[in-house]
Amino acid sequence: RKAGHKMNQVITVKLVEALQPETVRQLTPLLIDVVEDGASIGFLPPLAENAASAYWQGVPGPGVLLWVAMEGDTIVGTVQLHLVLKPNAPHRAELAKLMVHPGHRRKGIAGLLIDTAEQAAAEHGRTLLILDTCSISHAVMWKPAKSRITSFPQMAEWTPP
């Protein structure tokens, strides 16, 4: 998948089937930067480089697909699709770790990543996607093609002390 944006740079979304050292080298500061910018993705700032690098070692994995958004040779965003492997949920998947570098936002990158993961979910027979997002303090669920969106306010609300 590709999209153009300001300054005519092309964004390409690629499935990462096996992590290479260069991929981890780029994903590590991406994770640190988005956490530092306030993203609620399971980490608190300041996030140490070794902790961020260690996180990526388990991705992708069983039931976890990883895509990166590339601008040229630079990773500027990422998303994961977690295929729920429980016997009672073969219809469900979760979008996770949707990240776009703060300096590359407002270029349609998150939309490209979501569309890519949504298509893959459908190809894997998933009819329900869940995205837990703090930016609107709701957990959002939708069916492929965004035919139905449901939000659950304060599903996982937490207020820091």
Side-chain angles (χ1 to χ4, degrees), residues 1-80:
R1 296 188 166 261
K2 296 182 180 183
H5 61 80
K6 297 175 189 172
M7 301 188 301
N8 297 323
Q9 293 291 335
V10 174
I11 302 296
T12 305
V13 177
K14 297 179 181 179
L15 178 65
V16 176
E17 297 188 41
L19 280 180
Q20 301 299 320
E22 175 60 18
T23 306
V24 174
R25 189 187 69 72
Q26 290 194 49
L27 286 172
T28 297
L30 173 64
L31 179 56
I32 292 168
D33 289 345
V34 299
V35 167
E36 197 63 39
D37 195 51
S40 176
I41 54 174
F43 299 94
L44 295 172
L47 179 59
E49 185 175 343
N50 62 342
S53 179
Y55 166 75
W56 292 111
Q57 301 307 315
V59 181
V64 178
L65 304 173
L66 170 69
W67 288 271
V68 293
M70 307 285 298
E71 184 176 74
D73 293 331
T74 303
I75 295 174
V76 295
T78 184
V79 70
Q80 296 172 35

Coordinates of all heavy atoms in Angstrom, one line a residue, residues 1-80:
R1 N 0.8 -1.2 0.0 CA 0.0 0.0 0.0 C 0.9 1.2 0.0 O 1.9 1.3 0.7 CB -0.9 0.0 1.2 CG -1.8 -1.1 1.3 CD -2.8 -0.9 2.4 NE -3.9 -1.8 2.3 CZ -5.1 -1.5 1.8 NH1 -5.3 -0.3 1.4 NH2 -6.0 -2.4 1.6
K2 N 0.4 2.2 -0.7 CA 1.2 3.5 -0.8 C 0.3 4.7 -0.8 O -0.9 4.6 -1.2 CB 2.0 3.5 -2.1 CG 3.1 2.4 -2.3 CD 3.8 2.6 -3.6 CE 4.9 1.5 -3.7 NZ 5.7 1.6 -4.8
A3 N 0.8 5.7 -0.3 CA 0.1 7.0 -0.3 C 1.1 8.1 -0.5 O 2.2 8.1 0.0 CB -0.7 7.2 1.0
G4 N 0.6 9.2 -1.1 CA 1.4 10.4 -1.2 C 1.0 11.3 -0.1 O 0.0 11.2 0.5
H5 N 1.9 12.3 0.1 CA 1.5 13.3 1.1 C 2.3 14.5 0.8 O 3.0 14.6 -0.3 CB 1.8 12.8 2.6 CG 3.2 12.5 2.8 ND1 4.1 13.4 3.1 CD2 3.8 11.3 2.9 CE1 5.3 12.8 3.3 NE2 5.1 11.5 3.2
K6 N 2.3 15.5 1.6 CA 3.0 16.8 1.4 C 4.5 16.5 1.0 O 5.1 15.6 1.5 CB 3.0 17.7 2.6 CG 1.6 18.1 3.0 CD 1.6 18.8 4.3 CE 0.2 19.1 4.8 NZ 0.2 19.6 6.1
M7 N 5.0 17.3 0.1 CA 6.4 17.2 -0.3 C 6.6 16.0 -1.2 O 7.7 15.6 -1.5 CB 7.4 17.2 0.8 CG 7.3 18.5 1.7 SD 8.6 18.7 2.9 CE 8.4 17.2 3.9
N8 N 5.5 15.4 -1.7 CA 5.5 14.3 -2.6 C 6.3 13.1 -2.2 O 6.8 12.3 -3.0 CB 6.0 14.8 -4.0 CG 5.0 15.8 -4.6 OD1 3.8 15.6 -4.4 ND2 5.6 16.8 -5.2
Q9 N 6.5 12.9 -0.9 CA 7.1 11.7 -0.4 C 6.1 10.5 -0.5 O 4.9 10.8 -0.2 CB 7.7 11.8 1.0 CG 8.8 12.8 1.1 CD 10.1 12.3 0.4 OE1 10.3 11.1 0.3 NE2 10.9 13.2 0.0
V10 N 6.5 9.3 -0.7 CA 5.6 8.2 -0.8 C 5.8 7.4 0.5 O 6.9 7.1 0.9 CB 6.0 7.3 -2.0 CG1 5.1 6.0 -2.0 CG2 5.7 8.1 -3.3
I11 N 4.7 7.0 1.1 CA 4.7 6.1 2.2 C 4.3 4.7 1.8 O 3.3 4.5 1.1 CB 3.7 6.6 3.3 CG1 4.0 8.0 3.7 CG2 3.6 5.6 4.5 CD1 5.3 8.2 4.5
T12 N 5.1 3.7 2.1 CA 4.9 2.3 1.8 C 4.7 1.6 3.1 O 5.5 1.7 4.0 CB 6.1 1.8 1.0 OG1 6.3 2.6 -0.1 CG2 5.8 0.4 0.5
V13 N 3.7 0.7 3.1 CA 3.4 -0.1 4.3 C 3.9 -1.5 3.9 O 3.5 -2.1 2.9 CB 1.9 -0.1 4.7 CG1 1.7 -1.0 5.8 CG2 1.5 1.3 5.0
K14 N 4.7 -2.1 4.8 CA 5.3 -3.4 4.5 C 5.1 -4.3 5.7 O 5.2 -3.9 6.9 CB 6.8 -3.3 4.3 CG 7.2 -2.5 3.1 CD 8.7 -2.5 2.9 CE 9.1 -1.6 1.7 NZ 10.5 -1.6 1.6
L15 N 4.7 -5.6 5.4 CA 4.6 -6.6 6.5 C 6.0 -7.0 6.9 O 6.9 -7.3 6.0 CB 3.8 -7.8 6.0 CG 3.7 -9.0 6.9 CD1 2.8 -8.6 8.1 CD2 3.1 -10.2 6.2
V16 N 6.3 -7.1 8.2 CA 7.6 -7.6 8.7 C 7.4 -9.0 9.1 O 6.7 -9.3 10.1 CB 8.0 -6.7 9.9 CG1 9.3 -7.3 10.5 CG2 8.2 -5.3 9.5
E17 N 8.0 -9.9 8.4 CA 7.8 -11.3 8.7 C 8.9 -11.8 9.7 O 8.6 -12.8 10.4 CB 7.9 -12.1 7.4 CG 6.7 -11.7 6.5 CD 6.5 -12.6 5.3 OE1 6.7 -13.8 5.4 OE2 6.2 -12.0 4.2
A18 N 10.0 -11.2 9.7 CA 11.1 -11.6 10.6 C 11.9 -10.3 10.9 O 12.2 -9.6 10.0 CB 12.0 -12.7 10.0
L19 N 12.1 -10.1 12.2 CA 12.9 -8.8 12.5 C 14.3 -8.9 12.1 O 15.0 -9.9 12.4 CB 12.8 -8.6 14.0 CG 11.6 -8.0 14.6 CD1 11.7 -7.8 16.1 CD2 11.3 -6.7 13.9
Q20 N 14.8 -7.9 11.5 CA 16.2 -7.7 11.1 C 16.8 -6.7 12.1 O 16.1 -5.8 12.6 CB 16.3 -7.3 9.7 CG 15.7 -8.2 8.7 CD 16.3 -9.6 8.7 OE1 17.6 -9.7 8.8 NE2 15.5 -10.6 8.6
P21 N 18.1 -6.8 12.3 CA 18.7 -5.8 13.2 C 18.4 -4.3 12.8 O 18.2 -3.5 13.7 CB 20.2 -6.1 13.1 CG 20.3 -7.5 12.7 CD 19.1 -7.8 11.8
E22 N 18.4 -4.0 11.5 CA 18.1 -2.6 11.1 C 16.7 -2.2 11.4 O 16.4 -1.1 11.8 CB 18.3 -2.5 9.6 CG 17.9 -1.1 9.0 CD 18.7 0.0 9.6 OE1 19.8 -0.1 10.2 OE2 18.2 1.2 9.5
T23 N 15.8 -3.2 11.4 CA 14.4 -2.9 11.7 C 14.3 -2.6 13.2 O 13.6 -1.6 13.6 CB 13.5 -4.1 11.4 OG1 13.7 -4.4 10.0 CG2 12.0 -3.8 11.6
V24 N 14.9 -3.4 14.0 CA 14.9 -3.1 15.5 C 15.6 -1.8 15.8 O 15.1 -1.0 16.6 CB 15.5 -4.3 16.3 CG1 15.7 -3.9 17.7 CG2 14.8 -5.5 16.1
R25 N 16.6 -1.5 15.1 CA 17.4 -0.2 15.2 C 16.5 1.0 15.0 O 16.6 2.0 15.6 CB 18.6 -0.2 14.3 CG 19.5 1.0 14.6 CD 20.6 1.1 13.7 NE 20.2 1.6 12.3 CZ 19.8 2.8 12.0 NH1 19.7 3.7 13.0 NH2 19.4 3.1 10.8
Q26 N 15.5 0.9 14.0 CA 14.6 2.0 13.7 C 13.4 1.9 14.6 O 12.8 3.0 15.0 CB 14.2 1.9 12.3 CG 15.4 2.3 11.3 CD 14.9 2.6 10.0 OE1 13.9 3.4 9.8 NE2 15.5 2.0 9.0
L27 N 12.9 0.7 15.0 CA 11.7 0.7 15.8 C 11.9 1.1 17.2 O 11.0 1.7 17.8 CB 11.1 -0.8 15.8 CG 10.5 -1.2 14.5 CD1 10.2 -2.7 14.5 CD2 9.2 -0.4 14.2
T28 N 13.1 0.9 17.7 CA 13.4 1.3 19.1 C 13.2 2.8 19.4 O 12.5 3.1 20.3 CB 14.8 0.8 19.5 OG1 14.8 -0.7 19.4 CG2 15.2 1.2 20.9
P29 N 13.9 3.7 18.6 CA 13.6 5.1 18.9 C 12.2 5.5 18.5 O 11.7 6.5 19.1 CB 14.7 5.8 18.0 CG 15.1 4.8 17.0 CD 14.9 3.5 17.6
L30 N 11.5 4.9 17.6 CA 10.2 5.2 17.3 C 9.3 5.0 18.5 O 8.5 5.9 18.9 CB 9.6 4.4 16.1 CG 8.1 4.5 15.8 CD1 7.8 5.9 15.4 CD2 7.7 3.5 14.8
L31 N 9.5 3.8 19.2 CA 8.7 3.5 20.4 C 9.0 4.6 21.5 O 8.1 5.1 22.1 CB 9.0 2.1 20.9 CG 8.4 1.6 22.1 CD1 6.9 1.7 22.1 CD2 8.8 0.2 22.5
I32 N 10.3 4.9 21.7 CA 10.7 5.8 22.7 C 10.1 7.2 22.4 O 9.5 7.8 23.3 CB 12.3 5.9 22.8 CG1 12.8 4.6 23.3 CG2 12.7 7.1 23.6 CD1 14.3 4.5 23.2
D33 N 10.1 7.6 21.2 CA 9.6 9.0 20.8 C 8.1 9.1 21.0 O 7.6 10.1 21.5 CB 10.0 9.3 19.3 CG 11.5 9.6 19.2 OD1 12.2 9.8 20.2 OD2 11.9 9.6 18.0
V34 N 7.4 8.1 20.6 CA 5.9 8.2 20.8 C 5.5 8.1 22.2 O 4.5 8.7 22.7 CB 5.1 7.2 19.9 CG1 5.4 7.4 18.4 CG2 5.4 5.7 20.3
V35 N 6.2 7.3 23.0 CA 5.9 7.2 24.5 C 6.3 8.6 25.1 O 5.5 9.1 25.9 CB 6.7 6.1 25.1 CG1 6.7 6.2 26.7 CG2 6.2 4.7 24.7
E36 N 7.4 9.1 24.7 CA 7.8 10.5 25.2 C 6.8 11.5 24.8 O 6.5 12.5 25.6 CB 9.2 10.8 24.7 CG 9.8 11.9 25.5 CD 10.1 11.6 26.9 OE1 10.5 10.4 27.2 OE2 10.0 12.5 27.8
D37 N 6.1 11.3 23.7 CA 5.1 12.3 23.2 C 3.7 12.1 23.8 O 2.8 12.8 23.5 CB 5.0 12.2 21.7 CG 4.3 13.4 21.1 OD1 4.7 14.5 21.4 OD2 3.3 13.1 20.3
G38 N 3.6 11.1 24.7 CA 2.4 10.9 25.5 C 1.5 9.7 25.0 O 0.4 9.5 25.5
A39 N 2.0 8.9 24.1 CA 1.2 7.8 23.6 C 0.9 6.8 24.7 O 1.8 6.5 25.5 CB 1.9 7.0 22.5
S40 N -0.3 6.3 24.8 CA -0.7 5.3 25.9 C -0.7 4.0 25.2 O -1.7 3.4 24.7 CB -2.1 5.7 26.4 OG -2.5 4.7 27.3
I41 N 0.5 3.4 25.2 CA 0.7 2.1 24.5 C 1.4 1.1 25.4 O 2.1 0.2 24.9 CB 1.4 2.3 23.1 CG1 2.8 3.0 23.3 CG2 0.6 3.0 22.1 CD1 3.6 3.1 22.1
G42 N 1.2 1.2 26.7 CA 1.7 0.2 27.6 C 3.1 0.5 28.2 O 3.6 -0.3 28.9
F43 N 3.6 1.7 27.9 CA 4.9 2.1 28.5 C 4.8 3.5 29.1 O 4.0 4.3 28.7 CB 6.0 2.1 27.4 CG 6.2 0.8 26.7 CD1 5.5 0.5 25.6 CD2 7.1 -0.1 27.3 CE1 5.8 -0.8 24.9 CE2 7.3 -1.3 26.7 CZ 6.6 -1.7 25.5
L44 N 5.7 3.8 30.1 CA 5.7 5.1 30.7 C 7.0 5.7 30.4 O 8.1 5.1 30.3 CB 5.5 5.0 32.2 CG 4.2 4.4 32.7 CD1 4.2 4.2 34.2 CD2 3.0 5.4 32.3
P45 N 7.0 7.1 30.2 CA 8.3 7.8 30.0 C 9.0 8.0 31.3 O 8.3 8.0 32.3 CB 7.9 9.1 29.4 CG 6.4 9.3 29.8 CD 5.9 7.9 30.0
P46 N 10.3 8.1 31.3 CA 11.1 7.9 30.2 C 11.4 6.4 29.9 O 11.6 5.6 30.9 CB 12.5 8.5 30.6 CG 12.4 8.4 32.1 CD 11.0 8.4 32.5
L47 N 11.3 6.0 28.7 CA 11.5 4.6 28.3 C 12.9 4.4 27.9 O 13.4 5.1 27.0 CB 10.6 4.2 27.1 CG 10.6 2.8 26.6 CD1 10.3 1.8 27.7 CD2 9.7 2.7 25.4
A48 N 13.6 3.5 28.6 CA 15.0 3.2 28.3 C 15.2 2.5 27.0 O 14.3 1.7 26.6 CB 15.6 2.4 29.4
E49 N 16.3 2.8 26.3 CA 16.5 2.2 25.0 C 16.6 0.7 25.1 O 16.0 0.0 24.2 CB 17.9 2.7 24.4 CG 18.1 2.2 23.0 CD 19.4 2.8 22.4 OE1 19.9 3.9 22.9 OE2 19.9 2.3 21.4
N50 N 17.2 0.1 26.1 CA 17.3 -1.3 26.2 C 15.9 -2.0 26.4 O 15.6 -3.0 25.9 CB 18.3 -1.8 27.3 CG 17.9 -1.3 28.7 OD1 17.1 -0.4 28.9 ND2 18.5 -2.0 29.7
A51 N 15.0 -1.3 27.1 CA 13.7 -1.8 27.3 C 12.9 -1.7 26.0 O 12.1 -2.7 25.7 CB 13.0 -1.0 28.4
A52 N 13.0 -0.7 25.3 CA 12.3 -0.5 24.0 C 12.8 -1.6 23.0 O 12.0 -2.2 22.3 CB 12.5 0.9 23.5
S53 N 14.1 -1.8 23.0 CA 14.7 -2.7 22.0 C 14.2 -4.2 22.4 O 13.9 -5.0 21.6 CB 16.2 -2.6 22.1 OG 16.8 -3.6 21.2
A54 N 14.2 -4.4 23.7 CA 13.8 -5.8 24.2 C 12.4 -6.1 23.8 O 12.0 -7.2 23.5 CB 14.0 -5.9 25.7
Y55 N 11.5 -5.0 23.9 CA 10.1 -5.2 23.5 C 10.0 -5.8 22.1 O 9.2 -6.7 21.9 CB 9.3 -3.9 23.6 CG 8.0 -4.1 23.0 CD1 6.9 -4.8 23.6 CD2 7.8 -3.6 21.7 CE1 5.7 -5.0 22.9 CE2 6.6 -3.8 21.0 CZ 5.5 -4.5 21.7 OH 4.3 -4.7 21.0
W56 N 10.7 -5.3 21.2 CA 10.5 -5.7 19.8 C 11.0 -7.1 19.5 O 10.6 -7.7 18.5 CB 11.3 -4.7 18.9 CG 10.6 -3.3 18.9 CD1 11.2 -2.2 19.4 CD2 9.4 -3.0 18.3 NE1 10.3 -1.2 19.2 CE2 9.2 -1.6 18.6 CE3 8.4 -3.7 17.7 CZ2 8.0 -1.0 18.2 CZ3 7.2 -3.1 17.3 CH2 7.0 -1.7 17.6
Q57 N 11.8 -7.7 20.4 CA 12.3 -9.0 20.2 C 11.2 -10.1 20.1 O 11.3 -11.1 19.5 CB 13.3 -9.4 21.2 CG 14.5 -8.5 21.3 CD 15.2 -8.3 20.0 OE1 15.4 -9.3 19.2 NE2 15.5 -7.1 19.6
G58 N 10.0 -9.8 20.7 CA 8.9 -10.8 20.7 C 7.9 -10.5 19.6 O 6.8 -11.1 19.5
V59 N 8.2 -9.5 18.7 CA 7.2 -9.1 17.7 C 7.9 -9.3 16.3 O 9.1 -8.8 16.2 CB 6.8 -7.6 17.9 CG1 5.8 -7.2 16.8 CG2 6.2 -7.4 19.3
P60 N 7.4 -9.8 15.3 CA 6.1 -10.6 15.3 C 6.2 -11.9 16.0 O 7.4 -12.4 16.3 CB 5.8 -10.7 13.9 CG 7.1 -10.7 13.2 CD 8.0 -9.8 14.0
G61 N 5.1 -12.5 16.3 CA 5.1 -13.8 17.0 C 3.9 -14.6 16.6 O 3.1 -14.2 15.8
P62 N 3.6 -15.7 17.3 CA 2.4 -16.4 17.0 C 1.1 -15.6 17.2 O 0.9 -15.0 18.2 CB 2.4 -17.5 18.1 CG 3.8 -17.7 18.5 CD 4.4 -16.3 18.4
G63 N 0.4 -15.4 16.1 CA -0.8 -14.7 16.1 C -0.6 -13.2 16.1 O -1.6 -12.4 16.2
V64 N 0.6 -12.7 15.9 CA 0.9 -11.3 15.9 C 1.6 -10.9 14.6 O 2.6 -11.4 14.2 CB 1.8 -10.9 17.1 CG1 2.2 -9.4 17.0 CG2 1.2 -11.2 18.4
L65 N 0.9 -10.0 13.8 CA 1.4 -9.5 12.6 C 1.9 -8.1 12.8 O 1.2 -7.3 13.5 CB 0.3 -9.6 11.5 CG -0.3 -11.0 11.2 CD1 -1.5 -10.9 10.3 CD2 0.8 -11.9 10.7
L66 N 3.0 -7.7 12.1 CA 3.6 -6.4 12.3 C 3.8 -5.8 10.9 O 4.3 -6.4 10.0 CB 4.9 -6.5 13.0 CG 5.8 -5.3 13.1 CD1 5.2 -4.2 14.0 CD2 7.2 -5.6 13.6
W67 N 3.3 -4.5 10.8 CA 3.6 -3.7 9.6 C 4.3 -2.5 10.0 O 4.2 -2.0 11.1 CB 2.3 -3.3 8.9 CG 1.6 -4.4 8.3 CD1 1.7 -4.8 7.0 CD2 0.5 -5.2 8.8 NE1 0.9 -5.9 6.7 CE2 0.1 -6.2 7.9 CE3 0.0 -5.3 10.1 CZ2 -0.8 -7.1 8.1 CZ3 -1.0 -6.2 10.4 CH2 -1.4 -7.1 9.4
V68 N 5.2 -2.0 9.1 CA 5.8 -0.7 9.2 C 5.5 0.2 8.1 O 5.3 -0.3 6.9 CB 7.4 -0.9 9.3 CG1 7.8 -1.6 10.6 CG2 8.0 -1.6 8.1
A69 N 5.4 1.4 8.4 CA 5.2 2.4 7.3 C 6.5 3.0 7.1 O 7.2 3.5 8.0 CB 4.2 3.5 7.8
M70 N 6.9 3.0 5.8 CA 8.2 3.5 5.4 C 8.1 4.8 4.6 O 7.3 4.8 3.7 CB 9.0 2.4 4.6 CG 9.0 1.0 5.2 SD 10.2 0.9 6.5 CE 11.8 1.3 5.6
E71 N 9.0 5.7 4.9 CA 9.2 6.9 4.0 C 10.6 6.7 3.5 O 11.6 6.9 4.2 CB 9.0 8.2 4.7 CG 9.1 9.4 3.8 CD 8.8 10.7 4.6 OE1 9.7 11.1 5.4 OE2 7.7 11.2 4.4
G72 N 10.7 6.2 2.3 CA 12.1 5.9 1.7 C 12.6 4.6 2.5 O 11.9 3.6 2.6
D73 N 13.7 4.8 3.2 CA 14.3 3.7 4.0 C 14.0 3.9 5.5 O 14.6 3.1 6.3 CB 15.8 3.6 3.7 CG 16.1 3.1 2.3 OD1 15.3 2.4 1.7 OD2 17.2 3.5 1.8
T74 N 13.2 4.8 5.8 CA 13.0 5.2 7.2 C 11.6 4.7 7.7 O 10.6 5.0 7.1 CB 13.1 6.7 7.4 OG1 14.4 7.1 6.9 CG2 13.0 7.1 8.9
I75 N 11.6 4.0 8.8 CA 10.3 3.6 9.5 C 9.7 4.8 10.2 O 10.4 5.4 11.0 CB 10.5 2.5 10.4 CG1 11.0 1.2 9.7 CG2 9.2 2.2 11.2 CD1 11.4 0.0 10.6
V76 N 8.5 5.2 9.8 CA 7.9 6.4 10.4 C 6.6 6.0 11.1 O 6.0 6.8 11.8 CB 7.5 7.4 9.3 CG1 8.8 8.0 8.7 CG2 6.6 6.9 8.2
G77 N 6.2 4.7 11.1 CA 5.0 4.3 11.8 C 4.9 2.8 11.8 O 5.7 2.1 11.1
T78 N 4.0 2.3 12.6 CA 3.9 0.8 12.8 C 2.5 0.5 13.4 O 1.9 1.3 14.0 CB 5.0 0.2 13.6 OG1 4.9 -1.2 13.7 CG2 5.0 0.7 15.0
V79 N 2.1 -0.7 13.1 CA 0.8 -1.2 13.7 C 1.0 -2.8 13.8 O 1.7 -3.4 13.0 CB -0.4 -0.9 13.0 CG1 -0.6 -1.6 11.6 CG2 -1.7 -1.1 13.8
Q80 N 0.3 -3.3 14.8 CA 0.3 -4.8 15.0 C -1.2 -5.2 14.9 O -2.1 -4.5 15.3 CB 0.9 -5.2 16.3 CG 2.3 -4.9 16.5 CD 2.8 -5.1 17.9 OE1 2.3 -6.0 18.6 NE2 3.7 -4.3 18.4

